[in-house]
Amino acid sequence: MASPEIPESLDILRRVFGYDTFRDGQQEIVEHVASGGDALVLMPTGGGKSLCYQIPALVRKGTGVVISPLIALMQDQVDAMRALGVRAGFLNSTQDHDERRVVEAQFTTGELDLLYLAPERLRLASTVELLGRGDVSLFAIDEAHCVSQWGHDFRPDYLMLSGLHERWPEIPRIALTATATEATRREIASRLQLEEAKHFVASFDRPNIQYRIEPKTDAKRQLLRLLQAEHKGDAGIVYCLSRNSVEKHAAFLTENGIEALPYHAGLDGQTRAANQARFLREDGLVIVATIAFGMGIDKPDVRFVAHLDLPKSVEGYYQETGRAGRDGLPSTAWLAYGLQDVVNLRKMIDGGEGDAAFRRRQAMALDAMLALCETVECRRVRLLDYFGQSAEPCGNCDTCLTPPESWDATVPAQKVLSVIVRLDRERRQKFGAGHIIDILLGKKNAKVIQFDHDTLKPFGVGTDLREAEWRGVVRQLLAQGLVAVESNHGTLVQTDESAAVLRGERTVLMRREPDRPAPKAAKAAKDRKAPVELPAEAMPLFERLRAWRAATAKEQGVPAYVIFHDATLREIATALPTTLTELGHVNGVGENKLAKYGPQVLETLTSAD
Ligand code: ADP
Ligand code: ZN
């Protein structure tokens, strides 16, 4: 029973979920929705959005209906709820008639706290009729940015969700998304008729994620070094742009002793689903994927997200990296990017589909991403600034840990531009960055000789820098808009701003790459409870608990994290509870899990002696 002083929502948080306190913003949202208000919630990935509708659904009479596009994950979501003792079910196209009938009956007789529903089911009159026969406590619209026609996750069925409001005007609705820009928020509000709703914008900071961006030299080796040095045995996601690159890198990691599974749209549905399921269920697997992977993946213990290609926008980058460290423990977001990424993306945008306005928007998104890569300031400050939030330098990103110097690159920039100006006269040929650098370095290779480029005035004037350094210079010129990519051939050309540099009227500052990669120095999360650091002596116990968890999860056919999160196991391994009451104080151990697993956990602890 809730004691009279504790609000019902906090009591549920503690008893059912086993968490002591709400995170930033959760309580306000929960109370607003529980008391019948509409809400539009913007919270970063891993911020804790689910509780914002799960708890109101438990407080209010009737069933909370959750609209979610993530059919493949519904079973896991429902299993996770049931493990907490919450009565949950789902309806989607993966079920047969009989399975659906059972859930429908549970709903109409009031035996469900939560019903997960795929949006396409609302197209059926029978679904709307079903909802009319039961008692709906609230509608939660998850991944609400799917209503945005400009976004990459657009789902036409989401457009129909405004109909819910017309049919059930008095039932509260809560829409949630991690897509943060002002424009997206306005679009969601208008399409879902949530202009009148209260808007909650949480801090987008994810303090436990360490952001690192480094120039790409040998992506494979760089990745391997990162995983071997810092993430042995950890679960993580590696993002690549192309299917081919996904396959190649998954094979490469596996050959090097790191078990990695591929995931991309070219794989047949079954393999894809199997790989996703294994990643979710097993400990310590790496998934190498295109960005098709990840929406709704709520695995809490993803320790790193690595990007081997430049993301097209800061929003995409932030959503993808946000999949690391949902449990609040230290995690890494690592990106390697190079000159060729910039050339490819610029070419793709210029030669791509859509009208001029669309291409302009894409180009601006890319520029913001490049500015983030080349900044000498704190990455987090830049990221949050992009989402309209301010912050202090964080101490937990590469630029804070190893501040890069900036250097005056005006002369090298002039050298590059002077080659480009001369090549401009032979514009029908493809002269990419490599050729320009060969000329600067004075290399007499076949192409140079074929076009007589060893007779150009700047031939060989660049021997003061190494090839890798020249690539850095050209990359940064591209990022700063002082050189552009001509879309047809990928030839580098001047821009309106280049002339001032050539005339010596403009200084060009560049970021000097630190010689060594940033040291790993994770700072404890600022405003969240500092995660429990695991002392070496607690490690064997933690491993034993993990083994118990793996066996139990397998037996029950659920992902390991549905039983307990890593963070909870760490706390158990250090706090060493000896009674069920003590175990119940550990964060993440609610009443239901205590009753169900408590004795086994205590036994695992004592049998270790
Ligand atoms: P989102 O949907 O915003 O990406 P989730 O709802 O999946 O995030 O929550 C992220 C993780 O944080 C989950 O593992 C969840 O159990 C945990 N979490 C959420 N709220 C709290 C809280 N108040 N205290 C502790 N852990 C929490
Ligand atoms: Zn920083």
Side-chain angles (χ1 to χ4, degrees), residues 378-380 393-397 399-400:
C378 170
R379 307 271 190 210
R380 197 177 310 270
C394 71
N396 191 23
C397 73
T399 54
C400 281

Side-chain angles (χ1 to χ4, degrees), residues 40 74 131 136 141 288 290 424 444 478 532 574:
L40 174 52
M74 276 186 185
L131 293 180
V136 179
I141 302 168
V288 185
T290 55
D424 218 18
K444 292 198 182 188
L478 272 162
V532 186
T574 42

Side-chain angles (χ1 to χ4, degrees), residues 8-10 12-13 17 22 26-37 39 41 49-65 113-114 136-140 172-174 176:
E8 196 177 359
S9 55
L10 185 58
I12 292 176
L13 179 78
F17 293 86
F22 281 109
Q26 282 178 330
Q27 183 153 15
E28 262 186 284
I29 301 167
V30 165
E31 275 162 17
H32 179 73
V33 178
S35 60
V41 173
K49 285 184 284 298
S50 327
L51 284 187
C52 298
Y53 57 81
Q54 288 161 347
I55 292 183
L58 293 174
V59 171
R60 291 176 67 84
K61 197 173 119 340
T63 307
V65 173
D113 302 312
L114 282 170
V136 179
S137 63
L138 60 86
F139 288 108
R173 293 172 304 148
I174 169 172
L176 311 103

Side-chain angles (χ1 to χ4, degrees), residues 71-89:
I71 294 176
L73 300 173
M74 276 186 185
Q75 182 71 57
D76 288 350
Q77 286 175 321
V78 163
D79 286 344
M81 284 296 101
R82 288 187 182 155
L84 296 172
V86 175
R87 302 171 306 167

Side-chain angles (χ1 to χ4, degrees), residues 139-154:
F139 288 108
I141 302 168
D142 208 1
E143 313 289 351
H145 62 280
C146 289
V147 80
S148 160
Q149 276 168 316
W150 299 114
H152 50 283
D153 292 327
F154 175 59

Side-chain angles (χ1 to χ4, degrees), residues 431-452:
F431 297 128
H435 188 64
I436 292 167
I437 293 170
D438 285 347
I439 294 173
L440 287 166
L441 291 173
K443 285 197 188 159
K444 292 198 182 188
N445 59 26
K447 192 163 177 182
V448 167
I449 296 190
Q450 183 194 346
F451 290 98
D452 284 336

